[in-house]
Every structure is written in structure tokens, then in C-alpha cells.
Amino acid sequence: MSQETNQTESAKNPDQAKAGGERAQGPSTEAVVAQWRRERPDIDSSVMAVCGEVWRAGERLRRGVLANLARYDLDMPGFDVLLTLRRQGKGQALSPTALADQMMRSTSAMTNRLDRLEKRGLISRATDPADRRGLKIALTAAGFALADEAVVSHVDTEESLLKGLNKKERAQLKVLLAKVAE
């Protein structure tokens, strides 16, 4: 059976798609588009294949990163706080608002994130010497050490997840995804 016939069969019967190149995450995007072409030839469903691949890639990246963070008993928001503080430099501190801005997140959930990290001894909160009403958030020595260790394994994890792409392809993908995110 040719690959084209096999894909057509997969599109007709998703239950048989495993033999026709189905991925662990469901039928191929080509099979989904073929089904839509058959059912709704009046619409151009090819965009579904692009978006589907972006979703699948994003989910694969998310799972890989979260598995790595689990080694440190961190979730993504907590990890984001630690790395945002770490990249400011040793001994540097940020207000909760500046921290949220640097993380490109709202301040709404910041208190709970900071509470959890403070309980673990990874961050400290101190009164802002320039404004007694404000706070400054900084990494503790343990937080700094954990951030330094975790960022190395994080980069290694991301490298592993993107190992199928060369430098030129990575640069091209970055540009294309940035255009989508605009």
C-alpha cells in the first residue's frame, strides 16, 4: 500500500491510523485535514495542520520541561520566579511589581508563588530601603544555588527537545513563531 493510500485510509478510519503513521498524540495532522477536506470541501482546513503541529510541539516541550522541573520540586511559575531573580545578578532584588513585569505576568498570583518559595527558603522578602511601604524580593543562598543548578539542566532539557533542528532551523523557527505571537 502506498503512503498516499495509507494516509487516505487513515483519514477515513482514524481507528486504523496507527498502521498509517499515527502518532501517540492522535492521527497525523494530514489525516485530520484530509477528513475535513472530505467533509467540508468548501473550507481550507490546511491551517489546522500548522496549528496542530504547533500545539503538539508545544505540548511535547511543556511535558519535557515540567519533567525536568519535577526533579527540583518546582512548577513553572516558581521556576520562572527563581530564574527571573537569578538573571538580575547575585545580591540583586526586585519589587513584586518589577518581578511580575520581568516575568511578563500579572501580579495577581505573585503572593502565593512567593509564599511557597519563601517557605522553602529559596527567596527572602525585605522592606524596600527606598520606600518603607514596599518590598524587595531576593534569592537566598539556597535559592541562588538551586537556580544555578536548575538553569543548566533546563538548557540541557531544551537542547534535547530541539536536537532534531540545526542552528539555522532553530533560528528560522524562532522568527516564524515570533511572527505568529505578534
Side-chain angles (χ1 to χ4, degrees), residues 93-145:
L94 292 172
S95 70
T97 300
L99 180 59
D101 288 346
Q102 287 282 320
M103 293 170 53
M104 296 181 285
R105 303 211 187 264
S106 74
T107 56
S108 61
M110 192 61 71
T111 301
N112 288 336
R113 282 183 199 138
L114 297 177
D115 286 346
R116 286 192 302 268
L117 294 170
E118 189 173 35
K119 271 186 192 160
R120 289 184 59 190
L122 300 175
I123 63 153
S124 64
R125 297 183 223 201
T127 303
D128 184 345
D131 178 3
R132 291 182 300 154
R133 297 170 297 163
L135 288 175
K136 289 287 189 174
I137 313 301
L139 290 173
T140 62
F144 190 90

mmCIF file of all heavy atoms in Angstrom, residues 93-145:
data_model
loop_
_atom_site.group_PDB
_atom_site.id
_atom_site.type_symbol
_atom_site.label_atom_id
_atom_site.label_comp_id
_atom_site.label_asym_id
_atom_site.label_seq_id
_atom_site.Cartn_x
_atom_site.Cartn_y
_atom_site.Cartn_z
ATOM 1 N N ALA A 93 17.739 42.516 43.969
ATOM 2 C CA ALA A 93 16.372 42.281 44.415
ATOM 3 C C ALA A 93 15.420 43.084 43.534
ATOM 4 O O ALA A 93 15.803 44.077 42.918
ATOM 5 C CB ALA A 93 16.222 42.702 45.877
ATOM 6 N N LEU A 94 14.178 42.615 43.484
ATOM 7 C CA LEU A 94 13.128 43.289 42.714
ATOM 8 C C LEU A 94 11.892 43.451 43.583
ATOM 9 O O LEU A 94 11.613 42.607 44.443
ATOM 10 C CB LEU A 94 12.753 42.466 41.484
ATOM 11 C CG LEU A 94 13.780 42.317 40.374
ATOM 12 C CD1 LEU A 94 13.288 41.292 39.343
ATOM 13 C CD2 LEU A 94 14.066 43.653 39.712
ATOM 14 N N SER A 95 11.139 44.480 43.313
ATOM 15 C CA SER A 95 9.827 44.618 43.956
ATOM 16 C C SER A 95 8.911 43.564 43.336
ATOM 17 O O SER A 95 9.171 43.079 42.226
ATOM 18 C CB SER A 95 9.251 46.017 43.715
ATOM 19 O OG SER A 95 8.891 46.153 42.340
ATOM 20 N N PRO A 96 7.821 43.208 44.019
ATOM 21 C CA PRO A 96 6.891 42.245 43.412
ATOM 22 C C PRO A 96 6.369 42.717 42.050
ATOM 23 O O PRO A 96 6.229 41.909 41.131
ATOM 24 C CB PRO A 96 5.763 42.144 44.441
ATOM 25 C CG PRO A 96 6.437 42.453 45.743
ATOM 26 C CD PRO A 96 7.463 43.510 45.413
ATOM 27 N N THR A 97 6.111 44.004 41.900
ATOM 28 C CA THR A 97 5.625 44.523 40.620
ATOM 29 C C THR A 97 6.694 44.409 39.540
ATOM 30 O O THR A 97 6.416 43.968 38.417
ATOM 31 C CB THR A 97 5.175 45.990 40.770
ATOM 32 O OG1 THR A 97 4.130 46.042 41.747
ATOM 33 C CG2 THR A 97 4.670 46.557 39.456
ATOM 34 N N ALA A 98 7.927 44.778 39.870
ATOM 35 C CA ALA A 98 9.025 44.673 38.901
ATOM 36 C C ALA A 98 9.283 43.211 38.546
ATOM 37 O O ALA A 98 9.561 42.887 37.387
ATOM 38 C CB ALA A 98 10.290 45.329 39.449
ATOM 39 N N LEU A 99 9.168 42.336 39.531
ATOM 40 C CA LEU A 99 9.349 40.902 39.280
ATOM 41 C C LEU A 99 8.284 40.407 38.308
ATOM 42 O O LEU A 99 8.598 39.719 37.329
ATOM 43 C CB LEU A 99 9.282 40.135 40.601
ATOM 44 C CG LEU A 99 9.450 38.623 40.553
ATOM 45 C CD1 LEU A 99 10.791 38.223 39.946
ATOM 46 C CD2 LEU A 99 9.300 38.028 41.949
ATOM 47 N N ALA A 100 7.028 40.766 38.546
ATOM 48 C CA ALA A 100 5.943 40.359 37.639
ATOM 49 C C ALA A 100 6.182 40.919 36.244
ATOM 50 O O ALA A 100 5.966 40.222 35.246
ATOM 51 C CB ALA A 100 4.601 40.817 38.191
ATOM 52 N N ASP A 101 6.621 42.166 36.151
ATOM 53 C CA ASP A 101 6.906 42.770 34.845
ATOM 54 C C ASP A 101 8.016 42.015 34.126
ATOM 55 O O ASP A 101 7.923 41.756 32.919
ATOM 56 C CB ASP A 101 7.303 44.242 34.992
ATOM 57 C CG ASP A 101 6.139 45.145 35.365
ATOM 58 O OD1 ASP A 101 4.971 44.700 35.259
ATOM 59 O OD2 ASP A 101 6.409 46.290 35.767
ATOM 60 N N GLN A 102 9.065 41.673 34.844
ATOM 61 C CA GLN A 102 10.185 40.939 34.254
ATOM 62 C C GLN A 102 9.758 39.540 33.800
ATOM 63 O O GLN A 102 10.315 38.994 32.857
ATOM 64 C CB GLN A 102 11.339 40.807 35.262
ATOM 65 C CG GLN A 102 12.105 42.075 35.506
ATOM 66 C CD GLN A 102 13.071 42.355 34.384
ATOM 67 O OE1 GLN A 102 13.713 41.455 33.854
ATOM 68 N NE2 GLN A 102 13.165 43.615 34.003
ATOM 69 N N MET A 103 8.766 38.978 34.499
ATOM 70 C CA MET A 103 8.260 37.647 34.155
ATOM 71 C C MET A 103 7.176 37.721 33.084
ATOM 72 O O MET A 103 6.706 36.688 32.630
ATOM 73 C CB MET A 103 7.685 36.963 35.402
ATOM 74 C CG MET A 103 8.728 36.623 36.439
ATOM 75 S SD MET A 103 8.020 36.076 38.018
ATOM 76 C CE MET A 103 6.922 34.772 37.524
ATOM 77 N N MET A 104 6.753 38.926 32.721
ATOM 78 C CA MET A 104 5.671 39.139 31.766
ATOM 79 C C MET A 104 4.390 38.451 32.246
ATOM 80 O O MET A 104 3.704 37.766 31.502
ATOM 81 C CB MET A 104 6.076 38.675 30.369
ATOM 82 C CG MET A 104 7.224 39.463 29.795
ATOM 83 S SD MET A 104 7.709 38.953 28.149
ATOM 84 C CE MET A 104 8.566 37.420 28.485
ATOM 85 N N ARG A 105 4.104 38.618 33.533
ATOM 86 C CA ARG A 105 2.906 38.037 34.144
ATOM 87 C C ARG A 105 2.217 39.102 34.989
ATOM 88 O O ARG A 105 2.821 40.097 35.363
ATOM 89 C CB ARG A 105 3.274 36.863 35.042
ATOM 90 C CG ARG A 105 4.051 35.780 34.305
ATOM 91 C CD ARG A 105 3.765 34.435 34.897
ATOM 92 N NE ARG A 105 4.609 33.418 34.308
ATOM 93 C CZ ARG A 105 4.240 32.653 33.308
ATOM 94 N NH1 ARG A 105 3.056 32.769 32.786
ATOM 95 N NH2 ARG A 105 5.043 31.736 32.834
ATOM 96 N N SER A 106 0.987 38.820 35.368
ATOM 97 C CA SER A 106 0.268 39.751 36.241
ATOM 98 C C SER A 106 0.727 39.536 37.681
ATOM 99 O O SER A 106 1.276 38.485 38.028
ATOM 100 C CB SER A 106 -1.242 39.528 36.138
ATOM 101 O OG SER A 106 -1.600 38.343 36.810
ATOM 102 N N THR A 107 0.472 40.514 38.524
ATOM 103 C CA THR A 107 0.856 40.407 39.933
ATOM 104 C C THR A 107 -0.159 39.606 40.743
ATOM 105 O O THR A 107 0.088 39.314 41.900
ATOM 106 C CB THR A 107 0.994 41.815 40.557
ATOM 107 O OG1 THR A 107 -0.240 42.510 40.374
ATOM 108 C CG2 THR A 107 2.135 42.591 39.930
ATOM 109 N N SER A 108 -1.281 39.229 40.142
ATOM 110 C CA SER A 108 -2.383 38.615 40.886
ATOM 111 C C SER A 108 -1.997 37.347 41.649
ATOM 112 O O SER A 108 -2.418 37.157 42.780
ATOM 113 C CB SER A 108 -3.566 38.330 39.961
ATOM 114 O OG SER A 108 -3.189 37.441 38.947
ATOM 115 N N ALA A 109 -1.226 36.477 41.061
ATOM 116 C CA ALA A 109 -0.865 35.216 41.728
ATOM 117 C C ALA A 109 0.533 35.267 42.345
ATOM 118 O O ALA A 109 1.036 34.259 42.817
ATOM 119 C CB ALA A 109 -0.951 34.067 40.737
ATOM 120 N N MET A 110 1.144 36.427 42.347
ATOM 121 C CA MET A 110 2.527 36.537 42.813
ATOM 122 C C MET A 110 2.670 36.199 44.300
ATOM 123 O O MET A 110 3.614 35.531 44.696
ATOM 124 C CB MET A 110 3.045 37.944 42.533
ATOM 125 C CG MET A 110 4.534 38.089 42.718
ATOM 126 S SD MET A 110 5.522 37.041 41.635
ATOM 127 C CE MET A 110 5.264 37.839 40.087
ATOM 128 N N THR A 111 1.735 36.631 45.131
ATOM 129 C CA THR A 111 1.855 36.417 46.576
ATOM 130 C C THR A 111 1.959 34.940 46.912
ATOM 131 O O THR A 111 2.835 34.534 47.685
ATOM 132 C CB THR A 111 0.666 37.067 47.322
ATOM 133 O OG1 THR A 111 0.675 38.459 47.026
ATOM 134 C CG2 THR A 111 0.783 36.868 48.828
ATOM 135 N N ASN A 112 1.079 34.119 46.335
ATOM 136 C CA ASN A 112 1.117 32.678 46.622
ATOM 137 C C ASN A 112 2.415 32.047 46.136
ATOM 138 O O ASN A 112 2.989 31.190 46.821
ATOM 139 C CB ASN A 112 -0.081 31.969 45.993
ATOM 140 C CG ASN A 112 -1.368 32.284 46.716
ATOM 141 O OD1 ASN A 112 -1.365 32.639 47.889
ATOM 142 N ND2 ASN A 112 -2.475 32.160 46.012
ATOM 143 N N ARG A 113 2.875 32.446 44.954
ATOM 144 C CA ARG A 113 4.148 31.921 44.437
ATOM 145 C C ARG A 113 5.285 32.256 45.388
ATOM 146 O O ARG A 113 6.108 31.409 45.714
ATOM 147 C CB ARG A 113 4.468 32.534 43.078
ATOM 148 C CG ARG A 113 3.726 31.959 41.952
ATOM 149 C CD ARG A 113 4.181 32.589 40.643
ATOM 150 N NE ARG A 113 3.136 32.344 39.678
ATOM 151 C CZ ARG A 113 2.705 33.218 38.803
ATOM 152 N NH1 ARG A 113 3.237 34.412 38.726
ATOM 153 N NH2 ARG A 113 1.757 32.904 37.969
ATOM 154 N N LEU A 114 5.318 33.515 45.796
ATOM 155 C CA LEU A 114 6.392 33.958 46.684
ATOM 156 C C LEU A 114 6.302 33.279 48.040
ATOM 157 O O LEU A 114 7.330 32.898 48.622
ATOM 158 C CB LEU A 114 6.369 35.478 46.822
ATOM 159 C CG LEU A 114 6.619 36.265 45.534
ATOM 160 C CD1 LEU A 114 6.501 37.759 45.785
ATOM 161 C CD2 LEU A 114 7.961 35.919 44.909
ATOM 162 N N ASP A 115 5.093 33.102 48.559
ATOM 163 C CA ASP A 115 4.919 32.404 49.846
ATOM 164 C C ASP A 115 5.516 31.005 49.793
ATOM 165 O O ASP A 115 6.234 30.588 50.710
ATOM 166 C CB ASP A 115 3.428 32.297 50.216
ATOM 167 C CG ASP A 115 2.822 33.610 50.673
ATOM 168 O OD1 ASP A 115 3.571 34.567 50.963
ATOM 169 O OD2 ASP A 115 1.564 33.677 50.728
ATOM 170 N N ARG A 116 5.215 30.259 48.720
ATOM 171 C CA ARG A 116 5.728 28.885 48.596
ATOM 172 C C ARG A 116 7.256 28.863 48.528
ATOM 173 O O ARG A 116 7.903 28.024 49.157
ATOM 174 C CB ARG A 116 5.125 28.203 47.361
ATOM 175 C CG ARG A 116 3.673 27.807 47.534
ATOM 176 C CD ARG A 116 3.177 26.887 46.423
ATOM 177 N NE ARG A 116 3.306 27.439 45.096
ATOM 178 C CZ ARG A 116 2.376 28.138 44.466
ATOM 179 N NH1 ARG A 116 1.238 28.396 45.059
ATOM 180 N NH2 ARG A 116 2.571 28.596 43.245
ATOM 181 N N LEU A 117 7.822 29.765 47.759
ATOM 182 C CA LEU A 117 9.286 29.803 47.628
ATOM 183 C C LEU A 117 9.949 30.262 48.920
ATOM 184 O O LEU A 117 11.020 29.762 49.288
ATOM 185 C CB LEU A 117 9.687 30.697 46.455
ATOM 186 C CG LEU A 117 9.270 30.181 45.074
ATOM 187 C CD1 LEU A 117 9.494 31.253 44.013
ATOM 188 C CD2 LEU A 117 10.004 28.894 44.717
ATOM 189 N N GLU A 118 9.320 31.180 49.621
ATOM 190 C CA GLU A 118 9.871 31.655 50.893
ATOM 191 C C GLU A 118 9.843 30.539 51.935
ATOM 192 O O GLU A 118 10.798 30.358 52.693
ATOM 193 C CB GLU A 118 9.085 32.868 51.379
ATOM 194 C CG GLU A 118 9.728 33.561 52.577
ATOM 195 C CD GLU A 118 9.029 34.853 52.948
ATOM 196 O OE1 GLU A 118 7.778 34.932 52.814
ATOM 197 O OE2 GLU A 118 9.733 35.790 53.361
ATOM 198 N N LYS A 119 8.744 29.761 51.977
ATOM 199 C CA LYS A 119 8.651 28.625 52.908
ATOM 200 C C LYS A 119 9.775 27.621 52.677
ATOM 201 O O LYS A 119 10.245 26.982 53.609
ATOM 202 C CB LYS A 119 7.303 27.916 52.755
ATOM 203 C CG LYS A 119 6.227 28.457 53.612
ATOM 204 C CD LYS A 119 4.969 27.609 53.499
ATOM 205 C CE LYS A 119 3.830 28.354 54.157
ATOM 206 N NZ LYS A 119 2.530 27.897 53.734
ATOM 207 N N ARG A 120 10.181 27.472 51.430
ATOM 208 C CA ARG A 120 11.263 26.538 51.095
ATOM 209 C C ARG A 120 12.645 27.145 51.329
ATOM 210 O O ARG A 120 13.654 26.473 51.144
ATOM 211 C CB ARG A 120 11.155 26.103 49.630
ATOM 212 C CG ARG A 120 9.980 25.186 49.373
ATOM 213 C CD ARG A 120 9.953 24.687 47.957
ATOM 214 N NE ARG A 120 11.157 23.961 47.588
ATOM 215 C CZ ARG A 120 11.455 23.593 46.345
ATOM 216 N NH1 ARG A 120 10.629 23.874 45.358
ATOM 217 N NH2 ARG A 120 12.565 22.947 46.085
ATOM 218 N N GLY A 121 12.687 28.404 51.711
ATOM 219 C CA GLY A 121 13.957 29.070 51.976
ATOM 220 C C GLY A 121 14.695 29.481 50.714
ATOM 221 O O GLY A 121 15.914 29.681 50.747
ATOM 222 N N LEU A 122 13.970 29.645 49.606
ATOM 223 C CA LEU A 122 14.616 29.968 48.333
ATOM 224 C C LEU A 122 14.631 31.463 48.027
ATOM 225 O O LEU A 122 15.459 31.923 47.243
ATOM 226 C CB LEU A 122 13.922 29.207 47.198
ATOM 227 C CG LEU A 122 13.956 27.678 47.333
ATOM 228 C CD1 LEU A 122 13.125 27.029 46.223
ATOM 229 C CD2 LEU A 122 15.379 27.163 47.328
ATOM 230 N N ILE A 123 13.696 32.199 48.621
ATOM 231 C CA ILE A 123 13.676 33.661 48.450
ATOM 232 C C ILE A 123 13.492 34.318 49.810
ATOM 233 O O ILE A 123 13.064 33.674 50.769
ATOM 234 C CB ILE A 123 12.535 34.139 47.506
ATOM 235 C CG1 ILE A 123 11.169 33.784 48.098
ATOM 236 C CG2 ILE A 123 12.712 33.592 46.109
ATOM 237 C CD1 ILE A 123 10.061 34.710 47.656
ATOM 238 N N SER A 124 13.816 35.598 49.860
ATOM 239 C CA SER A 124 13.535 36.386 51.056
ATOM 240 C C SER A 124 12.821 37.658 50.638
ATOM 241 O O SER A 124 12.969 38.126 49.507
ATOM 242 C CB SER A 124 14.827 36.723 51.796
ATOM 243 O OG SER A 124 15.650 37.542 50.987
ATOM 244 N N ARG A 125 12.024 38.172 51.558
ATOM 245 C CA ARG A 125 11.345 39.446 51.342
ATOM 246 C C ARG A 125 11.855 40.416 52.404
ATOM 247 O O ARG A 125 11.934 40.064 53.575
ATOM 248 C CB ARG A 125 9.826 39.306 51.491
ATOM 249 C CG ARG A 125 9.212 38.393 50.488
ATOM 250 C CD ARG A 125 7.710 38.388 50.671
ATOM 251 N NE ARG A 125 7.213 37.027 50.583
ATOM 252 C CZ ARG A 125 5.966 36.709 50.310
ATOM 253 N NH1 ARG A 125 5.072 37.636 50.117
ATOM 254 N NH2 ARG A 125 5.598 35.468 50.234
ATOM 255 N N ALA A 126 12.176 41.603 51.955
ATOM 256 C CA ALA A 126 12.665 42.624 52.884
ATOM 257 C C ALA A 126 12.005 43.952 52.534
ATOM 258 O O ALA A 126 11.613 44.181 51.385
ATOM 259 C CB ALA A 126 14.183 42.744 52.788
ATOM 260 N N THR A 127 11.906 44.813 53.521
ATOM 261 C CA THR A 127 11.358 46.144 53.277
ATOM 262 C C THR A 127 12.292 46.889 52.336
ATOM 263 O O THR A 127 13.519 46.827 52.473
ATOM 264 C CB THR A 127 11.232 46.909 54.611
ATOM 265 O OG1 THR A 127 10.409 46.138 55.484
ATOM 266 C CG2 THR A 127 10.609 48.272 54.408
ATOM 267 N N ASP A 128 11.708 47.589 51.393
ATOM 268 C CA ASP A 128 12.469 48.386 50.427
ATOM 269 C C ASP A 128 13.076 49.582 51.164
ATOM 270 O O ASP A 128 12.344 50.395 51.727
ATOM 271 C CB ASP A 128 11.541 48.861 49.308
ATOM 272 C CG ASP A 128 12.256 49.614 48.201
ATOM 273 O OD1 ASP A 128 13.413 50.039 48.396
ATOM 274 O OD2 ASP A 128 11.636 49.781 47.137
ATOM 275 N N PRO A 129 14.404 49.700 51.204
ATOM 276 C CA PRO A 129 15.018 50.814 51.920
ATOM 277 C C PRO A 129 14.642 52.186 51.343
ATOM 278 O O PRO A 129 14.649 53.187 52.060
ATOM 279 C CB PRO A 129 16.523 50.565 51.784
ATOM 280 C CG PRO A 129 16.692 49.464 50.818
ATOM 281 C CD PRO A 129 15.366 48.819 50.594
ATOM 282 N N ALA A 130 14.263 52.228 50.074
ATOM 283 C CA ALA A 130 13.881 53.490 49.441
ATOM 284 C C ALA A 130 12.405 53.831 49.668
ATOM 285 O O ALA A 130 11.998 54.961 49.437
ATOM 286 C CB ALA A 130 14.177 53.436 47.949
ATOM 287 N N ASP A 131 11.623 52.843 50.107
ATOM 288 C CA ASP A 131 10.189 53.052 50.303
ATOM 289 C C ASP A 131 9.707 52.026 51.326
ATOM 290 O O ASP A 131 9.482 50.862 50.996
ATOM 291 C CB ASP A 131 9.439 52.889 48.973
ATOM 292 C CG ASP A 131 7.938 53.048 49.105
ATOM 293 O OD1 ASP A 131 7.435 53.341 50.225
ATOM 294 O OD2 ASP A 131 7.251 52.869 48.087
ATOM 295 N N ARG A 132 9.531 52.461 52.573
ATOM 296 C CA ARG A 132 9.191 51.527 53.649
ATOM 297 C C ARG A 132 7.876 50.798 53.421
ATOM 298 O O ARG A 132 7.618 49.772 54.032
ATOM 299 C CB ARG A 132 9.138 52.260 55.001
ATOM 300 C CG ARG A 132 10.520 52.714 55.451
ATOM 301 C CD ARG A 132 10.475 53.387 56.793
ATOM 302 N NE ARG A 132 9.596 54.564 56.736
ATOM 303 C CZ ARG A 132 8.957 55.068 57.783
ATOM 304 N NH1 ARG A 132 9.077 54.518 58.962
ATOM 305 N NH2 ARG A 132 8.198 56.133 57.656
ATOM 306 N N ARG A 133 7.037 51.309 52.505
ATOM 307 C CA ARG A 133 5.775 50.631 52.210
ATOM 308 C C ARG A 133 5.978 49.471 51.241
ATOM 309 O O ARG A 133 5.120 48.606 51.112
ATOM 310 C CB ARG A 133 4.764 51.604 51.594
ATOM 311 C CG ARG A 133 4.372 52.724 52.523
ATOM 312 C CD ARG A 133 3.586 53.766 51.785
ATOM 313 N NE ARG A 133 4.467 54.341 50.751
ATOM 314 C CZ ARG A 133 4.057 55.047 49.720
ATOM 315 N NH1 ARG A 133 2.780 55.272 49.535
ATOM 316 N NH2 ARG A 133 4.908 55.527 48.844
ATOM 317 N N GLY A 134 7.100 49.460 50.550
ATOM 318 C CA GLY A 134 7.344 48.449 49.517
ATOM 319 C C GLY A 134 8.207 47.302 50.003
ATOM 320 O O GLY A 134 8.807 47.346 51.081
ATOM 321 N N LEU A 135 8.252 46.277 49.179
ATOM 322 C CA LEU A 135 9.072 45.099 49.459
ATOM 323 C C LEU A 135 10.083 44.883 48.345
ATOM 324 O O LEU A 135 9.857 45.294 47.203
ATOM 325 C CB LEU A 135 8.196 43.840 49.538
ATOM 326 C CG LEU A 135 7.285 43.660 50.735
ATOM 327 C CD1 LEU A 135 6.419 42.419 50.535
ATOM 328 C CD2 LEU A 135 8.095 43.536 52.010
ATOM 329 N N LYS A 136 11.142 44.196 48.689
ATOM 330 C CA LYS A 136 12.121 43.737 47.703
ATOM 331 C C LYS A 136 12.239 42.224 47.869
ATOM 332 O O LYS A 136 12.312 41.708 48.992
ATOM 333 C CB LYS A 136 13.495 44.381 47.915
ATOM 334 C CG LYS A 136 13.546 45.846 47.555
ATOM 335 C CD LYS A 136 13.500 46.030 46.055
ATOM 336 C CE LYS A 136 13.761 47.470 45.665
ATOM 337 N NZ LYS A 136 13.861 47.633 44.235
ATOM 338 N N ILE A 137 12.255 41.531 46.746
ATOM 339 C CA ILE A 137 12.368 40.071 46.734
ATOM 340 C C ILE A 137 13.757 39.721 46.226
ATOM 341 O O ILE A 137 14.200 40.250 45.200
ATOM 342 C CB ILE A 137 11.321 39.442 45.784
ATOM 343 C CG1 ILE A 137 9.927 40.030 45.991
ATOM 344 C CG2 ILE A 137 11.323 37.925 45.895
ATOM 345 C CD1 ILE A 137 9.353 39.872 47.360
ATOM 346 N N ALA A 138 14.428 38.814 46.935
ATOM 347 C CA ALA A 138 15.773 38.391 46.527
ATOM 348 C C ALA A 138 15.921 36.886 46.725
ATOM 349 O O ALA A 138 15.198 36.278 47.525
ATOM 350 C CB ALA A 138 16.833 39.126 47.357
ATOM 351 N N LEU A 139 16.836 36.307 46.002
ATOM 352 C CA LEU A 139 17.168 34.897 46.212
ATOM 353 C C LEU A 139 17.992 34.760 47.482
ATOM 354 O O LEU A 139 18.864 35.586 47.758
ATOM 355 C CB LEU A 139 17.984 34.359 45.037
ATOM 356 C CG LEU A 139 17.278 34.175 43.706
ATOM 357 C CD1 LEU A 139 18.286 33.796 42.624
ATOM 358 C CD2 LEU A 139 16.180 33.130 43.804
ATOM 359 N N THR A 140 17.726 33.703 48.223
ATOM 360 C CA THR A 140 18.617 33.337 49.323
ATOM 361 C C THR A 140 19.802 32.602 48.718
ATOM 362 O O THR A 140 19.813 32.313 47.504
ATOM 363 C CB THR A 140 17.894 32.413 50.315
ATOM 364 O OG1 THR A 140 17.542 31.208 49.609
ATOM 365 C CG2 THR A 140 16.649 33.069 50.909
ATOM 366 N N ALA A 141 20.777 32.258 49.529
ATOM 367 C CA ALA A 141 21.913 31.486 49.025
ATOM 368 C C ALA A 141 21.432 30.152 48.459
ATOM 369 O O ALA A 141 21.891 29.711 47.398
ATOM 370 C CB ALA A 141 22.944 31.264 50.133
ATOM 371 N N ALA A 142 20.474 29.516 49.149
ATOM 372 C CA ALA A 142 19.928 28.240 48.655
ATOM 373 C C ALA A 142 19.174 28.447 47.347
ATOM 374 O O ALA A 142 19.272 27.619 46.428
ATOM 375 C CB ALA A 142 19.013 27.616 49.701
ATOM 376 N N GLY A 143 18.427 29.532 47.242
ATOM 377 C CA GLY A 143 17.699 29.829 46.009
ATOM 378 C C GLY A 143 18.639 30.110 44.852
ATOM 379 O O GLY A 143 18.394 29.672 43.721
ATOM 380 N N PHE A 144 19.710 30.840 45.131
ATOM 381 C CA PHE A 144 20.698 31.144 44.096
ATOM 382 C C PHE A 144 21.352 29.850 43.593
ATOM 383 O O PHE A 144 21.469 29.636 42.389
ATOM 384 C CB PHE A 144 21.758 32.096 44.667
ATOM 385 C CG PHE A 144 22.688 32.671 43.647
ATOM 386 C CD1 PHE A 144 22.373 33.863 43.002
ATOM 387 C CD2 PHE A 144 23.873 32.040 43.322
ATOM 388 C CE1 PHE A 144 23.227 34.408 42.050
ATOM 389 C CE2 PHE A 144 24.743 32.569 42.374
ATOM 390 C CZ PHE A 144 24.407 33.759 41.736
ATOM 391 N N ALA A 145 21.732 28.973 44.531
ATOM 392 C CA ALA A 145 22.359 27.701 44.154
ATOM 393 C C ALA A 145 21.391 26.830 43.356
ATOM 394 O O ALA A 145 21.782 26.220 42.350
ATOM 395 C CB ALA A 145 22.837 26.962 45.407
#
